[in-house]
Amino acid sequence: MREQPWGEDEKLREECGVFGIYDFDGNDVSHTIYYGLLSLQHRGQESCGIAVSDTAGPKGRVKTYKGMGLVGEVFTADNLAGLGHGNIGVGHVRYSTAGASIRENAQPLVLNYIKGTLALAHNGNLVNTPELKRELEHDGAIFQTTIDSEIMAYHIARARVHSGSAEEAVKLAMRKVVGAYSLVIMSPRKLIGVRDPFGFKPLCIGKRGNAYLLSSESCALDTVGAEFVRDVRPGEIVCITRDGILSDSSLCLPPEREARCVFEYIYFARPDTKIDGVSVYHARVAAGRFLAKDHPAEADLVVGVPESGNAAAQGYAQESGIPYGTAFVKNSYVGRTFIKPSQESRESGVQVKLNVLKEAVVGKRVVMVDDSIVRGTTCRRIVKMLRAAGAKEVHVRISAPPFLHPCYFGTDIPSEDHLIAHGKNVEEIREALEADSLGYLEIPRLSQMADGLPVCSACFSGKYPIAPPGEDIRGDYIK
Amino acid sequence: MREQPWGEDEKLREECGVFGIYDFDGNDVSHTIYYGLLSLQHRGQESCGIAVSDTAGPKGRVKTYKGMGLVGEVFTADNLAGLGHGNIGVGHVRYSTAGASIRENAQPLVLNYIKGTLALAHNGNLVNTPELKRELEHDGAIFQTTIDSEIMAYHIARARVHSGSAEEAVKLAMRKVVGAYSLVIMSPRKLIGVRDPFGFKPLCIGKRGNAYLLSSESCALDTVGAEFVRDVRPGEIVCITRDGILSDSSLCLPPEREARCVFEYIYFARPDTKIDGVSVYHARVAAGRFLAKDHPAEADLVVGVPESGNAAAQGYAQESGIPYGTAFVKNSYVGRTFIKPSQESRESGVQVKLNVLKEAVVGKRVVMVDDSIVRGTTCRRIVKMLRAAGAKEVHVRISAPPFLHPCYFGTDIPSEDHLIAHGKNVEEIREALEADSLGYLEIPRLSQMADGLPVCSACFSGKYPIAPPGEDIRGDYIK
Amino acid sequence: MREQPWGEDEKLREECGVFGIYDFDGNDVSHTIYYGLLSLQHRGQESCGIAVSDTAGPKGRVKTYKGMGLVGEVFTADNLAGLGHGNIGVGHVRYSTAGASIRENAQPLVLNYIKGTLALAHNGNLVNTPELKRELEHDGAIFQTTIDSEIMAYHIARARVHSGSAEEAVKLAMRKVVGAYSLVIMSPRKLIGVRDPFGFKPLCIGKRGNAYLLSSESCALDTVGAEFVRDVRPGEIVCITRDGILSDSSLCLPPEREARCVFEYIYFARPDTKIDGVSVYHARVAAGRFLAKDHPAEADLVVGVPESGNAAAQGYAQESGIPYGTAFVKNSYVGRTFIKPSQESRESGVQVKLNVLKEAVVGKRVVMVDDSIVRGTTCRRIVKMLRAAGAKEVHVRISAPPFLHPCYFGTDIPSEDHLIAHGKNVEEIREALEADSLGYLEIPRLSQMADGLPVCSACFSGKYPIAPPGEDIRGDYIK
Amino acid sequence: MREQPWGEDEKLREECGVFGIYDFDGNDVSHTIYYGLLSLQHRGQESCGIAVSDTAGPKGRVKTYKGMGLVGEVFTADNLAGLGHGNIGVGHVRYSTAGASIRENAQPLVLNYIKGTLALAHNGNLVNTPELKRELEHDGAIFQTTIDSEIMAYHIARARVHSGSAEEAVKLAMRKVVGAYSLVIMSPRKLIGVRDPFGFKPLCIGKRGNAYLLSSESCALDTVGAEFVRDVRPGEIVCITRDGILSDSSLCLPPEREARCVFEYIYFARPDTKIDGVSVYHARVAAGRFLAKDHPAEADLVVGVPESGNAAAQGYAQESGIPYGTAFVKNSYVGRTFIKPSQESRESGVQVKLNVLKEAVVGKRVVMVDDSIVRGTTCRRIVKMLRAAGAKEVHVRISAPPFLHPCYFGTDIPSEDHLIAHGKNVEEIREALEADSLGYLEIPRLSQMADGLPVCSACFSGKYPIAPPGEDIRGDYIK
């Protein structure tokens, strides 16, 4: 699972998590969404929101609460109670980029249109936003956010004027938008789940008593005591009503064209999640095993960089036979409001988040496993800390290939010149990290770690499943 | 001026205040807007917001900050600084109704449309909202707020697709909307001020150095050190650009059709404001004089119910020759977070907000002047307090006629059955208030107190300047 | 009543207000204390606190809540409920000086000693603190605050070891301490009220049903629905128990030695308070009348500087026959968190707190009445504003003599060189204020305005009722 | 390291952590103390505080900031800056019991006494508090807190009247107080560190450049970039002045009488700390090895209950040869403000804090290692979760003996009837936990895990190094 305090400058960030529930019997879905969002918090820490409705109430009465910050900060017993007694609802967590970390962009997007209300929670990024937006503007549209979910909502609203049902309008909109999207949509009497035809982002279905749930990750189903039913298929629209689940697969592509984001397996998703039948934990252990096969090391100890490096480190240890151990103590009290040490303090050795267990590493040749390197600053610092604590050798193993290319589908990768791998070969990177050896996961291993499922590995390979957009549409499309 | 702590259940509430500035030289308009809004705070205490732009910067970069609460609570040195260095901006204060006191409805409404960005601050209420909205919905529009300002914005955006300038688009939109509106609109390079043809709500122009300002009330111009230039005329569009002020009067009506809200003179506006050439303070003193002529009393002391009754009380004293005095002490520390006394406490005499100066009233026949009576509860309580403090007689004089009819133009009047004057003649009201005598301002005096200007007095007389809407569109149009 | 927003740099500040209640029947005294403190808020805005106990509960269980800020900010429904069901309690408001505005100094001081617990609320300032403290230190005492109330508490605790009752211990302590003090003390089964022999600070007794109350001012008794019983006499100890009120007057001085702080009548106390039988409102009106007699003016209008100048202005108008009017509009929304205009803004005319009613003063000769001048900056600014608004002449009348000397008894007077009157005669002050004429209340009028009661006027006359201390002990005694 | 979110009902709590620094060159010790306290946060989460002084400034000017909550919540850049430029300071973290979690009890205790000021930070619990307090009361002392540190402070103050130096006064006070205490004391020109003669609580000395530091644990020295110098010896007083470190060992006992709290090794201290020469991490690994020897199991996987069970689990795996793995995913976003699931929700399976990695445990016989069991509720729930996830067998191993006796020295152990081990033998406990087997660490292993150092294991064995007090003085001595 993602750790917040340590290495935030070093980690890539997921763009969102979505959650929805339709409880045919119950009337307090807001708490369930709250716990669901807590379990998806690693997918976005910028803002969060919950929208709730009561299918038995007046049509189109949606109560919403959104705010900047973590789920546990934004929601209180009071404002959760203020969401009232609804039996259908959606929730969202969003991650924080510098530019557009504004409340207006928090989701779910709740809106009024010809057929009443719609609430929409979106994970992913569209690639034809500029064209779509231009078209709408020429019809006199106004935009109150800078998220492409609003574009999606507009297209659904326009399609709805002439189509017979909300799900049909969604389908018409899907024909126009291109890119990555997993959506949970609440209309007055329906809960709709959608995954784009490439299946970039995960989405699955759960069941608890007489309620159906939709969630970005299966771990959130465990948390709320629901059982996993199945994944929404890439390209599928599922529509949950009192009559059960209706599925429309007419937009699905041939399986070989699917392109799941492999970084969900490597780092984004929680290890206790399964995506399209593959355990994230197992995928990480497998990556560690591949690393041990492809990049063996003579060493005395295998350690993971906490928390996300631990599973791969265990795989490495299992495959190599080198003992697995703990080398680091992380301070779990270093939260978001923590006052960062000044540059001067850092130079004089102040290091608040992580400490090395000297006793565990002194005199040893250490294999240090991490899930990825972005800028390299943190990795280099940790190598240095291990040596200062007495490690004789430090062998760095990374359970992902080097980052080299931008992502247009919802992952925030810094510009090329900030990537340590940009313009350097592995030996040069090793030198920059001051490691004794360095091994990356090989690109062919990516699909193998996902049990052979087709994955998108464009950020490593530069091979995009959809042509990258002409304009740079990453982040907010309105600069 | 309106007092917040005392009698909030008793007072009518204005719907909004607007403010705008275009400083051709400066680059820090946000503080000026902040001080302007502080001076318009009596027009709305629910939410407030500021949007700022820099005409020299990239087109359409608008920085906005909005929040629930008072100007002095919502804005901090930090978030004001976060609005950056702009030379053009608009601000808004909004008042709080129960139902839709949600952050989504805070203004200015900032949006992106075909020509970049638009920020819109609106005071007033449209009467043909349902038709306008239905038309938009059928074209696939989505609505993210429940304020009619969004309808107005849509119509401007749609007109802008084919019109040559923002002000022309505003004019086209004005041809479609019907009702009360004073608007301040910021486009990337212009500041536009608009007042509806009836002139329901005030709007005036100020100047400070090389800057032009727009404000609901002239008192805010004093506050920021600007000089009053003139009022925007009913029906006029003024467009402030680097080339100066352009005026379009083609939508103005004949002066006799104008219909200023007379309640601005009676209670809403600050006494140090002038509206269309008439001093609010003088209008109130005049109302007091009229009351003394039309409803004289044998008494020893004239007192005002603080603060808003004081000016009329002075007028009454001047005309009648009865000495003016102070009878009440208000606790100015009773703010919004104050814990209200329980019913039980109130019955046992706990009264936190207002106390009577026994020494001032004991043994005296008192004329008590207030600006209006809505439900009558507070007025009755004060009469009782005066008697308990030893007043021999209490003669109530009200510087407005009795409220009998709903307002569709932006004033929040409770439903008829909550109005003390509903179904009662003056003698019956007097009895209900337990006063020794009662006199209201006569309806013909309304226009006289405004120096003969044509006013809207529909809430008193039932004669509406525009036909009331078929559906009840008061408050939020989405119920 | 004191106004917070305007002129805070200009006004002297009271040091505290105290409140206590013993309800023989009830069990929820905390709300009563809360409303009492709200009505005493003008006596101190730095910090406040409430301590509550239940005489039926385990001996010495006192629940306390204190905090920095206003009563309405510090106390919430939750923390007030947290004070539990007690039938006896004390409350305190304290004012804010720069240096020692720390939470440790908030009162009531709650402590544990040989006989259980004691809670103590103190208004005033001792003059022999250094000697008292030195003596205690030599016995190994430790001090956790920098308020002299702690010294007082120590002496009570030490006296209690050998004395038969709490009130006897209080009396022994009173024999050691010298200075100004009105105290409300809660022991496990008693509520004790004390006023120093000079009677510097007020304290009165109230009754409501089967409860007795003690309060700095009688206005707080009105607020909570209690009736005024009588003032505590200078030097008297009253002890409220289930057996009624016991009084010990053995420390009282001959009446002619009493020395009430005259500034309570001039400015500190609320106008609806009576102190030692004299109405504060009447005292202020009388001061205005004296001013009119001693310093008449040829003028068209008498106005008060709001709020505190209004009563004296009415007295001046009554005596002189010149009409009383309103010249200023104060913005009541300018609270404590308000962002102050920069020097530059102020120079360009930004004035947020106060505006002049031009219509009321233009072309007129104005008598402007205020209660006092400290530094003179604000007064000068207001004179200038009146002229800018069109006043032909401005005649300043002050309902107090010039401040010239320090106060050692609990009023925070700036050092001499900050006082406008220091080293200047009245003509020179007038010139500094740019007024057309200036008149101060004459010193002999001080006792007259208090119906002949002996008062302390040392800050004006330099004649101290107690020898001033050798060391400067104003403010915190620990520098 | 202690985890906050999970199992808080299950874990014992340390009473405090202390930190001090005297920087002969520097003048910004507050940030260093802040980072030090962050690293000691696991020792107390109720309240925290920092007191800072400048030896070059006026004698006895101490700036203090304290508050309820975590270090990262209480301290902001602003209030840290407000502590000013000091070169000597102390800090404290305190843990939360229900009854006395009040701000008055936050430390450091800062006080004024005969020789100026003293700031005192205390970890531990005295056993003769009632006698000490009674004696002081009879001399007229007053108490403003309910912590025994105030008693300690009084005795130092009284001793100081006649003794030649602060450290001598501390020594005299140590002769009177009995119990557990590690103290850091700041006088105007000295930093003093003290450990009680039994050495219950740790305290060590560090050095960074020209600064000396005192800290409860060595991990905080690592964090601030200081090097470990040595432990303060049980019974030793170290006095740090500009002349260096002076040591007074005259109160030290023979080593065999020392009685370090063994629970520091088992659970309290951070694994990267060394206490009296013994690595906490190694002690825990050793405990796991002992468990494997004394309580072997036939199993496929060894897992630790995160985080604190992991080190012992690794020891168990190493000794037994059974593979070590991860079975749990903890949600690190579940903070203190998190809304707890209702009983009903928990029963329907909502479990927010911890999830089992089904893939890792399914079909396996699992050894689950935890550091201790208090009530047993959590342990039982985890066993159940492992089985629900598919574990074939669950063998519980606890790296401490069963808790059976109260602690009087600063550890908060629930009353006997809440302890699962009370009145049950191991087989009965196993049954209650529904585990397949259960093994506790044997009591003789306790000293072995601490490399043979004499330890206090009274909570397991009932053999107290000091006679337990006649009255129950645990927690606050004032009930």
Side-chain angles (χ1 to χ4, degrees), chain B residues 246-267:
Chain B
L246 298 173
S247 164
D248 180 337
S249 304
S250 56
L251 295 182
C252 294
L253 297 175
E256 66 276 13
R257 293 197 52 200
E258 293 170 1
R260 284 154 197 85
C261 172
V262 74
F263 214 65
E264 294 279 349
Y265 292 106
I266 295 172
Y267 172 69

Side-chain angles (χ1 to χ4, degrees), chain D residues 316-381:
Chain D
Y316 197 102
Q318 287 162 20
E319 183 70 29
S320 66
I322 305 169
Y324 172 84
T326 301
F328 303 101
V329 175
K330 213 175 56 172
N331 188 339
S332 63
Y333 297 103
V334 176
R336 310 204 309 169
T337 56
F338 146 78
I339 303 160
K340 295 208 173 60
S342 63
Q343 182 55 30
E344 193 191 335
S345 297
R346 279 200 304 271
E347 274 161 21
S348 69
V350 172
Q351 45 197 22
V352 184
K353 296 172 181 175
L354 207 68
N355 195 16
V356 177
L357 265 173
K358 293 187 201 69
E359 285 66 30
V361 302
V362 65
K364 292 194 179 145
R365 296 167 301 169
V366 178
V367 176
M368 172 189 129
V369 184
D370 204 352
D371 54 78
S372 56
I373 311 183
V374 185
R375 289 173 169 81
T377 337
T378 306
C379 185
R380 196 186 140 147
R381 191 150 23 117

Side-chain angles (χ1 to χ4, degrees), chain A residues 66 103-104 109 111-114 133 137-138 140-145 150 154 157-158 161 478-479, chain B residues 61 66 103-104 109 111-114 133 137-138 140-145 150 154 157-158 161 478:
Chain A
K66 304 192 257 188
R103 198 189 169 288
E104 274 64 29
L109 196 66
L111 53 94
N112 213 268
Y113 76 141
I114 191 164
K133 190 170 170 248
E137 280 174 350
H138 278 90
I142 62 175
F143 300 92
Q144 298 181 50
T145 76
E150 195 181 14
Y154 252 115
R158 289 160 68 102
V161 175
I478 295 169
K479 299 300 166 186
Chain B
R61 262 280 202 216
K66 302 193 258 188
R103 196 187 170 289
E104 275 63 29
L109 196 65
L111 54 92
N112 213 268
Y113 77 142
I114 191 164
K133 188 169 173 251
E137 280 175 351
H138 279 91
I142 62 176
F143 300 91
Q144 299 181 50
T145 76
E150 195 180 15
Y154 251 116
R158 289 159 69 102
V161 174
I478 297 169

Side-chain angles (χ1 to χ4, degrees), chain D residues 1 4 54 116 128 138 171 181 234 238 267 276 284 293 307 319 324 346 351 381 401-402 439 443 445:
Chain D
M1 190 180 45
Q4 192 195 347
D54 186 350
N128 63 337
H138 279 91
K171 189 169 165 182
Y181 52 89
V238 298
Y267 173 68
D276 291 337
R284 291 179 191 172
K293 281 182 192 160
E307 309 281 334
E319 183 70 29
Y324 172 84
R346 279 200 304 271
Q351 45 197 22
R381 191 150 23 117
I443 287 185
R445 296 297 197 185

Side-chain angles (χ1 to χ4, degrees), chain D residues 9-337:
Chain D
D9 51 343
E10 187 64 25
K11 294 300 188 188
L12 297 190
R13 285 184 284 200
E14 175 63 72
E15 294 237 317
C16 297
V18 297
F19 193 87
I21 178 169
Y22 190 160
D23 190 340
F24 303 133
D25 295 342
N27 60 0
D28 178 20
V29 298
S30 56
H31 279 83
T32 299
I33 301 173
Y34 173 79
Y35 295 118
L37 293 185
L38 268 177
S39 299
L40 298 175
Q41 185 79 80
H42 57 285
R43 298 184 73 84
Q45 291 106 46
E46 171 197 81
S47 65
C48 54
I50 297 178
V52 164
S53 174
D54 186 350
T55 56
K59 195 170 174 175
R61 261 281 202 216
V62 176
K63 294 194 177 168
T64 312
Y65 196 85
K66 304 192 257 189
M68 303 304 292
L70 298 176
V71 174
E73 295 163 0
V74 167
F75 287 98
T76 64
D78 273 2
N79 61 34
L80 215 49
L83 289 172
H85 294 289
N87 63 342
I88 179 166
V90 298
H92 193 269
V93 290
R94 186 165 183 263
Y95 110 102
S96 174
T97 50
S101 177
I102 52 170
R103 197 188 170 288
E104 275 63 30
N105 286 347
Q107 297 198 25
L109 196 66
V110 178
L111 54 94
N112 213 268
Y113 77 141
I114 191 164
K115 296 295 181 182
T117 58
L118 212 64
L120 189 141
H122 175 204
N123 175 203
N125 216 61
L126 307 184
V127 297
N128 63 337
T129 307
E131 300 90 296
L132 294 169
K133 187 167 174 252
R134 232 165 277 138
E135 183 190 329
L136 290 166
E137 280 174 351
H138 279 91
D139 287 343
I142 62 175
F143 301 90
Q144 299 182 49
T145 76
T146 58
I147 47 174
D148 52 10
S149 317
E150 195 180 14
I151 308 284
M152 175 72 84
Y154 252 115
H155 279 281
I156 296 172
R158 289 159 68 102
R160 188 75 179 91
V161 174
H162 302 293
S163 62
S165 70
E167 58 272 30
E168 201 188 307
V170 168
K171 189 169 165 182
L172 287 168
M174 285 173 71
R175 291 220 159 101
K176 305 208 74 167
V177 304
V178 181
Y181 52 89
S182 284
L183 294 171
V184 176
I185 297 167
M186 172 175 73
S187 82
R189 304 276 187 273
K190 290 171 183 169
L191 185 68
I192 300 171
V194 173
R195 208 168 157 197
D196 69 69
F198 297 90
F200 285 106
K201 299 294 167 189
L203 187 66
C204 66
I205 309 171
K207 192 169 192 318
R208 188 182 68 186
N210 217 356
Y212 279 99
L213 301 94
L214 295 169
S215 172
S216 285
E217 295 190 26
S218 62
C219 68
L221 300 177
D222 293 349
T223 295
V224 302
E227 63 187 293
F228 175 83
V229 173
R230 66 169 176 90
D231 291 283
V232 174
R233 287 201 306 278
E236 184 184 9
I237 302 167
V238 298
C239 179
I240 298 165
T241 69
R242 288 205 166 264
D243 304 322
I245 300 189
L246 299 173
S247 164
D248 179 338
S249 304
S250 56
L251 297 182
C252 293
L253 297 174
E256 66 276 12
R257 291 198 52 200
E258 293 169 2
R260 284 153 197 84
C261 171
V262 74
F263 214 64
E264 293 279 349
Y265 292 106
I266 294 171
Y267 173 68
F268 285 153
R270 255 177 54 166
D272 49 340
T273 279
K274 266 186 162 179
I275 301 174
D276 291 337
V278 177
S279 152
V280 169
Y281 175 70
H282 273 183
R284 291 179 191 172
V285 172
R289 288 182 171 275
F290 295 143
L291 274 175
K293 281 182 192 160
D294 301 342
H295 301 285
E298 291 279 316
D300 308 306
L301 183 70
V302 180
V303 303
V305 177
E307 309 281 334
S308 52
N310 287 344
Q314 285 171 27
Y316 197 102
Q318 287 162 20
E319 183 70 29
S320 66
I322 305 169
Y324 172 84
T326 301
F328 303 101
V329 175
K330 213 175 56 172
N331 188 339
S332 63
Y333 297 103
V334 176
R336 310 204 309 169
T337 56

Side-chain angles (χ1 to χ4, degrees), chain B residues 22 166-168 170-171 174 183-186 190-195 203-206 212-215 229-241 244-250 252:
Chain B
Y22 191 161
E167 59 272 31
E168 201 188 309
V170 168
K171 189 170 165 183
M174 284 173 73
L183 293 171
V184 177
I185 298 167
M186 173 176 71
K190 288 169 184 169
L191 184 68
I192 299 171
V194 172
R195 207 169 158 198
L203 188 66
C204 66
I205 309 172
Y212 280 99
L213 301 94
L214 294 169
S215 173
V229 173
R230 65 170 176 90
D231 291 282
V232 175
R233 289 201 306 278
E236 184 185 8
I237 302 168
V238 298
C239 180
I240 298 164
T241 70
I245 301 189
L246 298 173
S247 164
D248 180 337
S249 304
S250 56
C252 294

